[in-house]
Amino acid sequence: MGRLGLGGHFGGLAAQLDGVFGADGVFAHDRLRFVDFVDDVEELLEEVARQEGGDKEAADGFEEYVLRHCSG
């Protein structure tokens, strides 16, 4: 993201996601529901879109897309 000039937007992302994934990189379902995680990521994407002067609506389908494709 830094090479794209977007590193500033994601500086706090690691702190927000701390504890969501285990040391093995697997999502920690016992710490946070996956649907809540996906909702939080969609909100982060909307915020980046606002900061970049884009349309936050572009990120609106993210949550539905991920949940549809991950539910098998």
Side-chain angles (χ1 to χ4, degrees):
M1 291 306 222
R3 286 182 277 167
L4 295 173
L6 299 173
H9 298 297
F10 296 98
L13 183 59
Q16 291 175 332
L17 297 179
D18 187 37
V20 176
F21 295 93
D24 57 0
V26 175
F27 183 78
H29 291 274
D30 61 329
R31 296 182 200 149
L32 179 68
R33 292 181 335 145
F34 186 70
V35 293
D36 294 334
F37 168 72
V38 173
D39 183 53
D40 291 346
V41 171
E42 181 178 69
E43 289 177 21
L44 290 169
L45 292 172
E46 289 172 352
E47 181 59 30
V48 170
R50 277 192 289 276
Q51 291 176 6
E52 289 297 309
D55 181 9
K56 80 171 194 79
E57 303 298 321
D60 276 346
F62 176 81
E63 181 177 4
E64 181 181 334
Y65 176 85
V66 169
L67 294 177
R68 191 172 351 122
H69 287 83
C70 290
S71 65

